[in-house]
Amino acid sequence: MTTTHQHPTNARRAVSYFFILFGTVSGAWAARIPAVKHTLNLSDGQLSYGLLAVAIGLITGMRFAGHLTDRLGSARLLTPAAIATSLTVILPGYATTLPALIATLFLFGLVNASLDVSMNAHGVEVERAYGRPLMSSFHGMFSIGGLIGAGIGGLFAWLDLSAAATLTAVGIPLALASLYVRRHLLPATPPPAATHTTTPRRAPWTSWIILMGVVAFAGLVGEGAANDWTAVYLFQNLGAPQAVAAAGFAVFSAAMTIGRFAGDHLAQRFGPVRLVRYSGLVAALGLGTALLVGQTLVAFVGFALFGLGLATIVPQVFSAAGNHDPARAGQAIAQVATVGYAGLVAGPAIIGGAAELIGLPAALGIPALLAAFMAASAGALRHPQSS
C-alpha cells in the first residue's frame, strides 16, 4: 500500500472517515428497507429472514476478521474492507427474489465484520500514537454517518427513486473516496504477532475477554431495546400521541451522539474505569426513572440520560480489548464484538418476549439492570494487559 508521510492527525481523520463510511452505508440501507420490502412484496416474516442474514454474516465474518487483521495489519485490511462494504450494500437493492436478498445481505454482513474489526483496531493504534483516548469520538462519527445515510435514503425515497439507485449513489462514491483516504492511515507495519514465534495463531477465549464481551452485550441490548421499544412504550403505556412517541428514539440517539463526542475528554479526565462505572449508573438511573415515574416528559429526560450513559461504554470496552494484547488486537476486538453484537440482535427480541410475560414497563427494566451490571463490572477495565 502506498503511503505518504504520516502524522497521527491525518490518521485520525482517516479513521474517522471509515467510521462515517460504515455509518452512512448502514443508515442508507436501513432507510431503504421498506422500499426493498415493497419491491419484493415480502411479508414481515420474510423480511426478517433477510435481516437475520446480515447478523449471521456479521457473526460468521468475525471468526475470520480478527485473525486477518492481526496477520495482515489493520492498515492493509481496512481499505479493501471499506470498499467491499461500500459495494456489497448495493447488491440487495438489485435483488429480485427473497433467496437473492438473503444471499446478498449475508455477504454484506460478512464483509462488514472485516471493516468493523480493522477500523476499531486501527483506531486503537491511532489512540496510542496520540497518547490519549479517541475511540469514543470515532464511534460518534459512526452515529453521524448513520444520520447522513438515513438522510440520503429519505431524500431518494421522497424523490421516488429506487433502493438500488440510492445504494448505488451512496456506495460507489464512498468506495472511490476510500482509495484516496487510505494514504493517510498509519504506515502498514508487520503485525506484532509476526515477530514473536511463541505467539499462538489463535487468541484464546479468556475469562477477561468473555467478561468484556458480556459488558458490550449488555450495552448493545440497551441500544437495540431503545431502537425498537421507546416509541411503543411512550405511545402504548404513557398515552403519548404518535408524533410525540416517535421522538423518543430521536432523543435517545441525539443524547448518545453527544455523549460519544464528549467521551474522549471524560475518559482522559476520569479514566475508563470511573467513566464506565458512572456511565452505567447514569444509564440505569435514567431508564429506571423513566419507567418508575411513568410521565411523558420524565420519560424523555430518562431516555436522554440512558443514551448519555450508554454512549461511552462500548467504545471503552473496544479500546480495552484492542490494548489487551497488541499482538492480537484484531482477534480480541472480534471476540468481544461477536458477543456484543449478539446483544444488538437479540435485545429487541428479549424485550418483546419478556413484555408478553410481565408487561413492557417491567421488560424494559432488563436494560436498566444490565446498565447497573456494566457499572459493577467497570473495574475489569483496570487490567487491559494480557497475563
Side-chain angles (χ1 to χ4, degrees):
M1 182 178 74
T2 302
T3 59
T4 60
H5 179 69
Q6 302 300 321
H7 188 278
T9 300
N10 293 332
R12 181 182 182 181
R13 292 169 180 163
V15 173
S16 295
Y17 164 78
F18 286 113
F19 272 86
I20 290 173
L21 178 151
F22 197 11
T24 302
V25 166
S26 302
W29 159 245
R32 297 320 315 261
I33 289 174
V36 171
K37 180 177 183 291
H38 176 73
T39 299
L40 298 184
N41 194 28
L42 302 177
S43 67
D44 290 342
Q46 289 173 320
L47 177 63
S48 70
Y49 297 145
L51 300 180
L52 182 61
V54 179
I56 294 173
L58 180 65
I59 293 172
T60 301
M62 287 292 174
R63 292 177 53 84
F64 311 101
H67 187 64
L68 281 173
T69 299
D70 293 338
R71 183 171 182 176
L72 301 177
S74 60
R76 289 190 176 95
L77 181 61
L78 180 48
T79 301
I83 292 172
T85 297
S86 300
L87 297 180
T88 54
V89 76
I90 298 171
L91 301 179
Y94 289 93
T96 57
T97 64
L98 177 59
L101 181 66
I102 291 172
T104 56
L105 288 176
F106 175 82
L107 179 62
F108 179 54
L110 196 69
V111 299
N112 277 359
S114 292
L115 174 58
D116 199 337
V117 172
S118 60
M119 72 183 187
N120 276 287
H122 205 75
V124 171
E125 293 181 37
V126 175
E127 279 190 320
R128 291 196 199 109
Y130 262 78
R132 61 183 177 86
L134 297 173
M135 190 62 75
S136 188
S137 63
F138 287 147
H139 283 249
M141 290 298 180
F142 175 87
S143 298
I144 294 296
L147 293 173
I148 293 171
I152 294 172
L155 175 62
F156 273 66
W158 181 72
L159 295 172
D160 201 25
L161 297 172
S162 68
T166 308
L167 300 175
T168 301
V170 168
I172 290 179
L174 289 175
L176 293 174
S178 299
L179 294 172
Y180 171 78
V181 174
R182 66 174 178 171
R183 70 184 65 190
H184 297 298
L185 295 170
L186 294 176
T189 56
T195 63
H196 299 282
T197 56
T198 58
T199 301
R201 291 178 61 85
R202 295 286 180 180
W205 282 83
T206 65
S207 58
W208 187 87
I209 286 289
I210 294 171
L211 176 59
M212 290 297 98
V214 172
V215 172
F217 176 93
L220 291 169
V221 164
E223 289 189 39
N227 182 47
D228 284 23
W229 292 104
T230 50
V232 176
Y233 171 72
L234 287 164
F235 176 71
Q236 174 181 292
N237 295 96
L238 300 189
Q242 289 193 32
V244 174
F249 179 65
V251 169
F252 169 85
S253 297
M256 174 166 276
T257 301
I258 292 169
R260 282 179 169 168
F261 283 109
D264 292 334
H265 173 73
L266 294 173
Q268 186 174 21
R269 181 173 180 179
F270 297 108
V273 172
R274 284 200 290 171
L275 177 58
V276 170
R277 179 173 293 129
Y278 296 153
S279 294
L281 291 175
V282 167
L285 177 65
L287 182 56
T289 301
L291 298 173
L292 291 174
V293 174
Q295 295 180 0
T296 300
L297 180 59
V298 174
F300 273 100
V301 174
F303 291 145
L305 291 174
F306 188 50
L308 285 171
L310 291 185
T312 60
I313 295 177
V314 171
Q316 294 307 309
V317 170
F318 275 29
S319 181
N323 285 296
H324 178 61
D325 180 358
R328 293 171 293 194
Q331 293 181 74
I333 291 171
Q335 288 168 328
V336 170
T338 298
V339 179
Y341 288 154
L344 193 61
V345 176
I350 292 172
I351 302 305
E356 289 288 329
L357 298 174
I358 58 177
L360 183 57
L364 286 172
I366 294 172
L369 293 174
L370 290 175
F373 161 77
M374 289 185 283
S377 303
L381 275 76
R382 283 198 186 98
H383 307 288
Q385 300 301 321
S386 58
S387 55

